[in-house]
Amino acid sequence: MEKEAYYILLYYCYAPIQDPEAYREEHHLFCIQNNIRGRIIISGEGLNGTVSGLKADCEKYMEYVQGDPRFADTEFKIDTHHSHAFSKINVRAKSEIVHSGLRHIDPKIRTGKHLEPREFKAMKDREDVVILDVRSNYEHKLGHFKNALRLDIENFREFPEKVKELEHLKGKKVLTYCTGGIKCEKASAFLLDQGFEDVYQLHGGIIKYGMEAGGEDFEGKCYVFDNRVAVEVNNVNPTVVSECHICGSRSDRMVNCANPTCNIHVPICEACGWEYEGACSVECKEDPEKRPYNGTGYYQKNINGYNPYKGFYQQPNKDRIKSALNVKSNS
């Protein structure tokens, strides 16, 4: 098998879905049949996902999504990888495709002006511009655009409250950005709703900026929500901005605390990793439940007993599930 035989797809699409639960089951079944793994959210306002699979399987998946007229304009950010980036498939129906609490905001009606990566690059250093990171603390601490305003939030749902602190920026051009673009759809729309007049968003987010504009002036790495954890973005003027949680030295080596009760995800340098046996503190190092440390700080979730068909609730789908099982057993 070739070295980079897999794709990792990052995407979202705002489009009305009348019966999210029924579509969730259909979508889930397609993923199982085509060996697609990852995390997908389905709601009445659209879909949002990061998935992985063999290149041919991902091509089928993209055709499946874009073949539905509702999602025909879905844009996929495609990266290559040597293996699956997920251990299983998880498709959920939720009230929003990204939790913001801004259910009254519809990006299909009004949102910030989309800037392609090269347009964003050309504007970001102007004196009348503010670059606004709308991601959470653990994300922008690992990496962010040079001179970006970074909000102190643990979750995106805190963003609306934080906007109250940005009143003094209403005379500026506000350029929002996030990992793949989805948070900016509602973030920029909400800024407009709150009286900001000149609002933009980086189309495709940090990931597309790295692919199409070389990642220039993105400092550090980009946090991603798959088994890779962090990815390189900048191949022009890269730097490390995150600090070891224990000693404070520069490090972008992300580690899950070896104490499963704690399990925080923070940068820990290699030296401290070995000294603290993968734990984030003395207390966690001494915890009797501490997991053995193998030098990576990554702990594969226990998927014993994992059943990809678990979660099919509706009775009419039994025949489809049996059919899918027969296909799988005969392949």
Side-chain angles (χ1 to χ4, degrees):
M1 186 175 290
E2 62 180 290
K3 186 176 180 181
E4 301 292 319
Y6 289 78
Y7 277 162
I8 299 173
L9 309 177
L10 176 66
Y11 70 94
Y12 69 89
C13 182
Y14 278 97
I17 300 176
Q18 296 303 316
D19 190 340
E21 185 54 50
Y23 182 66
R24 185 205 73 79
E25 294 199 0
E26 174 195 321
H27 202 109
H28 188 172
L29 194 59
F30 182 92
C31 291
I32 295 169
Q33 291 172 323
N34 292 279
N35 195 27
I36 297 295
R37 303 180 191 174
R39 299 187 185 97
I40 302 163
I41 298 173
I42 309 289
S43 87
E45 64 180 11
L47 67 165
N48 170 26
T50 307
V51 301
S52 65
L54 288 167
K55 291 181 179 180
D57 293 334
C58 284
E59 293 286 354
K60 290 180 188 176
Y61 180 76
M62 289 187 282
E63 287 179 14
Y64 165 70
V65 173
Q66 293 175 330
D68 188 316
R70 295 171 295 182
F71 317 125
D73 60 350
T74 302
E75 180 177 302
F76 290 90
K77 274 75 72 177
I78 305 172
D79 203 355
T80 56
H81 203 47
H82 57 82
S83 65
H84 265 296
F86 295 91
S87 56
K88 58 184 180 179
I89 181 66
N90 192 333
V91 187
R92 294 181 178 178
K94 293 190 175 184
S95 59
E96 294 179 280
I97 55 176
V98 59
H99 186 28
S100 66
L102 299 173
R103 298 183 194 177
H104 64 291
I105 297 289
D106 185 353
K108 296 290 284 186
I109 296 175
R110 188 186 187 209
T111 190
K113 302 166 192 170
H114 288 73
L115 293 176
E116 293 303 319
R118 295 195 181 279
E119 294 175 309
F120 182 91
K121 181 179 177 181
M123 281 186 67
K124 66 182 179 60
D125 295 324
R126 288 170 44 173
E127 290 186 4
D128 60 342
V129 162
V130 172
I131 306 172
L132 179 63
D133 192 319
V134 303
R135 300 173 302 153
S136 302
N137 290 335
Y138 65 93
E139 297 174 86
H140 60 62
K141 283 182 179 177
L142 181 64
H144 52 260
F145 276 103
K146 181 181 178 181
N147 299 323
L149 175 60
R150 306 185 297 278
L151 302 178
D152 181 15
I153 56 177
E154 295 299 324
N155 296 286
F156 184 54
R157 61 178 176 269
E158 299 172 26
F159 176 79
E161 187 65 26
K162 278 291 178 179
V163 169
K164 295 176 182 178
E165 300 176 8
L166 306 179
E167 288 287 320
H168 61 291
L169 301 177
K170 284 189 172 179
K172 297 275 191 177
K173 290 179 172 62
V174 181
L175 275 56
T176 65
Y177 74 89
C178 60
T179 306
I182 186 170
K183 290 180 179 178
C184 289
E185 296 285 2
K186 283 201 172 182
S188 63
F190 183 70
L191 288 169
L192 290 168
D193 183 66
Q194 296 300 298
F196 291 78
E197 296 181 356
D198 217 354
V199 183
Y200 303 79
Q201 57 180 298
L202 173 56
H203 181 54
I206 299 163
I207 299 301
K208 188 175 182 181
Y209 183 82
M211 292 177 174
E212 297 186 5
E216 185 174 353
D217 288 336
F218 185 84
E219 301 179 326
K221 290 184 178 179
C222 181
Y223 189 99
V224 291
F225 299 89
D226 58 61
N227 292 352
R228 297 172 299 166
V229 183
V231 296
E232 299 281 359
V233 173
N234 189 335
N235 58 29
V236 178
N237 54 350
T239 185
V240 177
V241 294
S242 50
E243 298 180 349
C244 174
H245 179 75
I246 296 172
C247 72
S249 64
R250 287 293 176 96
S251 176
D252 57 12
R253 186 174 171 275
M254 296 297 289
V255 169
N256 271 115
C257 178
N259 176 8
T261 306
C262 174
N263 205 47
I264 62 169
H265 205 184
V266 290
I268 296 179
C269 70
E270 187 167 1
C272 288
W274 287 111
E275 181 180 349
Y276 284 73
E277 299 175 4
C280 70
S281 65
V282 173
E283 292 75 18
C284 284
K285 179 181 178 180
E286 296 174 350
D287 192 284
E289 299 298 319
K290 187 180 74 66
R291 296 170 287 206
Y293 180 60
N294 65 2
T296 68
Y298 174 75
Y299 304 94
Q300 178 68 53
K301 290 182 178 178
N302 187 344
I303 58 172
N304 290 341
Y306 166 61
N307 174 11
Y309 293 93
K310 184 178 180 181
F312 285 89
Y313 303 117
Q314 296 184 21
Q315 193 74 12
N317 286 320
K318 281 189 174 181
D319 291 339
R320 285 195 296 157
I321 296 170
K322 287 180 181 178
S323 175
L325 283 167
N326 288 335
V327 170
K328 186 175 181 182
S329 63
N330 294 330
S331 61

